[in-house]
Amino acid sequence: MTLHLLVDTWLPIQRKDGSRDLIRPCDIADSGPNPPQELLAPRADFRAALYQLLIGLLQTAFAPDNEAAWRSRFVTPPSSEELAAAFAPWADAFVLDNPGGPAFAQDLDPLTAPELKANLLSLRNLLIDAGSDSNSYFNKPSDDEGFCPSCTAQALFTLQTNAPAGGRGIRTSVRGGGPLSTLVTVEGLTLWQQLWLNVLPLDVLGHEAPVRQADLIPWLAATRNSEDGRETSCGDNAHPLQAYWGLPRRIRLDTDAIQSGTCAVCGQSHERLYTRYRTRHGGVNYSGAWPHPLSPYNHDAKQEKPPLPVKGMAGGVAYRHWLGMVLGGDDGLQRPAKVVEHFYAHREPLITRHLQRPGALWACGYKMDNAKAVAWNDSRLPLYRLPAERWMDFRLLVGELLQIAEESAALLARAVREAWGSESGDPAVAQGFWQQSEAGFYRSLAEAVELPDGAHRTTAPLFKRWLEQTRQLVLRQFDNWTRSMLTELADTRQMLRVVKARADLEGRLHKNKPFKATRQWVSAELAAQQGAEA
C-alpha cells in the first residue's frame, strides 16, 4: 500500500508529556489533555521541511479570511474532522506513488519512455548533503539502502523546497538554491499554535483563489518543461502559493525497485522501502519575484531587479543578522519574512503580553556552494516585546550596536592578520568574536526594551558598557590568537609584529568610527545627566 499523506497515520510528533507518536496531518490540532507539542524527524533538514509542508497545507486548504478568524482558531483549534474535510479536496496531490497519476512532489510523467533518457539514481541522491563533507551528524546512507515511505516523502519535499544548483538544466527551488526560512516560534505552545503562528489571513496575502489546483500544485499537471528556456513567473502562469509547492526537479520514484528491510534514514523496519528514482533535467524554471511568506528578502536599492531571498550562511545565523530578519535593515533594503512582519504588527501583544511567553525567530536552511552543501543553519533569534511606536528608535539603537560590533570584528581580524604577517587571515577570527559577544548583545537589547516609555533615548550607560565589553573581548581574543607567537623561541621580528599589531589595534579601537563618535556622545550624555541631577 502506498502512503496517502493526508489520510494515513505517518507524521512523527512528540506529545505534551514527552511521548512519541505517529498521527495524521488532520490530527495536528488535537486539543485533548496530551496534544501534539513538536514535530520530530530523523534529520534536521527534514524537520524544517515538515514544518513548511504543514504550514503550506494550512495556508492552501485552511487559511483564515482575516485576523479575527485567525485569532479565533488560535484560541479554539479545529477538530480533526474539520481539518480532514478541508484537506480532502487536495488528497489526490499527496499520494506518494501513484502509477499513471499524480504523485507527491514528483513529475506527472513516469519518465520511463526510452527517448527521455532519464537517469536512474539511488534514493540517497535525494539528500541535499549526500556527497558533502559538511554536517557529518546527518546520516549518509549507502547507494544500495532504501527509505521508508515517510522518509521518502520527507526527502522529496526537502529537496524540492531547497533545491540547489546542479548543473545545466537542473533547476533551483522557487527561492533559488539554499533559501533561508524564518518561522515565528513561541516557547510552550502546542504544535497547532506553532504552525498557526506562521499562517497568514487571506486578506493579508491578497491572493485570488486558484482557477485550477494545478496552478498551485504543479505536479497535478504536465511539468512546464524548461528545456526550451521556458520560465514560470509568479501570477502570470502560476498561482503565488506555488511558492510552497515548487517542482524544480523532475523526479519519479521507481516502484519496480521496492524492497523490505530497515530504513537507512530513520532505522525503522518496513515492508516497503524505496531504493531508486528516475530523474531528468528541465524541471520548472522559476523566474522573477516569488514572494515566499517564510523568507526574508534583500531589495535592490535602485528597484531595477526583483527582491532576492536571503540564503543560508557559512557561519550560521547569529545576532549580526538580527536587525534585518526581525525588524528590517535600517537602510530599508532587507525586509523580514512576511510572517514576521505580520507577527509584530498584529500578533505580538496576544503572545507576549496576554500569554506571557517569549517568542523567537527560527532561522533554518542550507548554505550551498552550487550543488555542494557547505553547512546547515538552525538558529533561534529572540523576539522582544516592543510597542510599534518604539520600533524606529529601537531599530536605530540596534543598528548602532551592530556598527560597533562589525567594526570590532573587522579590526580584530585585521590585527591578527598583521601579527601573523598573513595576507589572507582566517575567517574563524571574526567568527569567534561574533560568537563570544552574542550574549552581551542580547542583554543590551533586553535592557533597551525594558526602559520605561519616554526614557528609551537615555541609553548612554548601555552604549558605554557595550563599548567596553567589545573592546575587552577584541583585545582578549587578539592575545589568544597570538599567544603562541610570544614564546622564548619566537623570532624577534615576529614578536615585534605582534606588539605593533596590538598597539595599532588599541589605537583604532579608540579613534576609529563608530567608537570615537559613540564615546563622545556617551560622555556628553552622562555629563548632562549628572548636571541635571545636581
Side-chain angles (χ1 to χ4, degrees):
M1 292 289 291
T2 185
L3 174 63
H4 291 256
L5 275 72
L6 297 190
V7 177
D8 293 341
T9 299
W10 69 277
L11 194 64
I13 58 101
Q14 177 178 298
R15 294 192 177 275
K16 185 177 181 181
D17 66 359
S19 62
R20 298 187 173 207
D21 202 355
L22 295 176
I23 63 172
R24 301 170 299 169
C26 64
D27 297 326
I28 54 176
D30 176 11
S31 56
N34 194 22
Q37 196 82 13
E38 182 60 272
L39 284 173
L40 301 177
R43 291 168 49 106
D45 56 345
F46 283 13
R47 179 171 173 269
L50 280 179
Y51 265 94
Q52 294 179 66
L53 188 155
L54 291 173
I55 291 167
L57 180 61
L58 292 170
Q59 193 71 73
T60 299
F62 199 71
D65 290 332
N66 49 48
E67 191 63 18
W70 178 91
R71 189 172 296 232
S72 174
R73 287 301 191 184
F74 184 84
V75 175
T76 307
S79 66
S80 296
E81 291 73 20
E82 286 180 277
L83 282 183
F87 296 163
W90 304 89
D92 289 346
F94 290 83
V95 180
L96 184 59
D97 72 66
N98 182 23
F104 174 70
Q106 298 164 68
D107 205 276
L108 185 63
D109 192 313
L111 303 180
T112 54
E115 63 271 17
L116 289 178
K117 299 179 181 179
N119 294 315
L120 193 60
L121 301 179
S122 163
L123 220 64
R124 80 182 296 268
N125 290 286
L126 292 179
L127 304 178
I128 292 176
D129 63 327
S132 169
D133 294 331
S134 65
N135 296 130
S136 59
Y137 53 83
F138 280 13
N139 48 350
K140 307 287 181 66
S142 63
D143 283 337
D144 59 350
E145 293 182 291
F147 296 8
C148 70
S150 174
C151 289
T152 300
Q154 294 177 64
L156 278 167
F157 189 72
T158 301
L159 176 59
Q160 298 286 22
T161 300
N162 300 283
R168 184 173 179 269
I170 307 300
R171 306 305 181 192
T172 60
S173 80
V174 172
R175 294 173 282 175
L180 192 74
S181 298
T182 55
L183 282 65
V184 176
T185 67
V186 175
E187 182 180 342
L189 296 186
T190 65
L191 174 60
W192 165 257
Q193 292 172 323
Q194 299 283 15
L195 294 168
W196 199 236
L197 276 175
N198 294 280
V199 175
L200 296 172
L202 293 175
D203 61 354
V204 171
L205 289 175
H207 296 160
E208 295 182 0
V211 176
R212 304 178 306 148
Q213 286 188 344
D215 294 334
L216 194 152
I217 299 185
W219 57 84
L220 291 175
T223 297
R224 291 185 58 83
N225 192 321
S226 60
E227 291 181 41
D228 59 358
R230 179 165 55 169
E231 298 180 340
T232 299
S233 56
C234 180
D236 293 335
N237 44 30
H239 192 273
L241 284 182
Q242 193 172 134
Y244 286 101
W245 310 111
L247 192 69
R249 300 295 180 87
R250 300 193 69 182
I251 292 170
R252 193 74 188 206
L253 294 174
D254 180 8
T255 55
D256 294 330
I258 293 175
Q259 62 188 33
S260 62
T262 301
C263 175
V265 180
C266 69
Q268 298 295 312
S269 297
H270 206 281
E271 61 184 20
R272 193 175 180 85
L273 298 181
Y274 298 89
T275 60
R276 300 185 308 189
Y277 68 95
R278 292 182 177 85
T279 185
R280 178 176 169 79
H281 60 273
V284 182
N285 186 13
Y286 295 98
S287 65
W290 276 85
H292 196 297
L294 301 180
S295 277
Y297 280 79
N298 290 318
H299 291 254
D300 178 29
K302 297 182 179 179
Q303 298 184 341
E304 297 175 350
K305 300 177 181 178
L308 296 175
V310 176
K311 302 297 181 64
M313 304 167 195
V317 179
Y319 81 82
R320 63 185 182 275
H321 308 114
W322 189 93
L323 182 61
M325 291 188 183
V326 175
L327 295 181
D330 53 10
D331 56 6
L333 298 183
Q334 184 170 333
R335 294 283 300 276
K338 196 171 186 68
V339 294
V340 179
E341 288 187 325
H342 191 76
F343 173 80
Y344 263 122
H346 299 282
R347 297 172 180 172
E348 181 272 334
L350 170 70
I351 304 302
T352 57
R353 294 181 184 178
H354 299 307
L355 298 183
Q356 294 294 310
R357 297 176 186 269
L361 191 73
W362 175 24
C364 52
Y366 274 105
K367 164 61 180 175
M368 301 299 303
D369 181 4
N370 290 319
K372 181 181 179 181
V374 176
W376 169 254
N377 296 167
D378 207 314
S379 302
R380 294 291 197 283
L381 307 183
L383 298 176
Y384 298 96
R385 177 171 53 85
L386 191 67
E389 62 270 16
R390 291 182 54 185
W391 283 2
M392 184 62 70
D393 287 326
F394 192 74
R395 181 182 284 111
L396 292 174
L397 180 145
V398 175
E400 290 167 358
L401 292 176
L402 287 174
Q403 282 183 353
I404 293 171
E406 288 166 357
E407 184 70 9
S408 297
L411 290 182
L412 172 61
R414 175 182 174 181
V416 171
R417 189 171 63 248
E418 290 172 347
W420 287 350
S422 169
E423 294 184 2
S424 58
D426 186 341
V429 175
Q431 183 66 19
F433 169 83
W434 288 110
Q435 292 173 345
Q436 292 297 315
S437 57
E438 187 166 42
F441 174 80
Y442 287 134
R443 282 195 297 269
S444 297
L445 263 57
E447 178 183 342
V449 166
E450 293 303 319
L451 288 173
D453 290 343
H456 52 277
R457 294 181 181 275
T458 313
T459 55
L462 184 153
F463 276 100
K464 182 179 180 180
R465 283 192 296 274
W466 183 240
L467 280 169
E468 187 57 28
Q469 287 173 14
T470 53
R471 177 182 176 277
Q472 291 180 1
L473 178 60
V474 166
L475 294 175
R476 185 166 63 249
Q477 290 206 333
F478 176 87
D479 292 340
N480 291 339
W481 284 104
T482 60
R483 182 171 290 113
S484 63
M485 302 175 68
L486 298 175
T487 65
E488 294 181 359
L489 300 177
D491 182 276
T492 301
R493 289 174 299 176
Q494 176 177 289
M495 296 179 67
L496 289 174
R497 271 204 322 269
V498 173
V499 172
K500 183 179 185 306
R502 196 182 198 282
D504 291 344
L505 175 60
E506 291 192 73
R508 292 165 186 154
L509 288 170
H510 182 76
K511 65 182 181 181
N512 280 25
K513 291 183 178 181
F515 308 114
K516 183 176 181 180
T518 304
R519 192 174 290 107
Q520 290 175 343
W521 173 83
V522 166
S523 297
E525 185 70 17
L526 292 177
Q529 292 177 22
Q530 291 174 356
E533 292 172 358

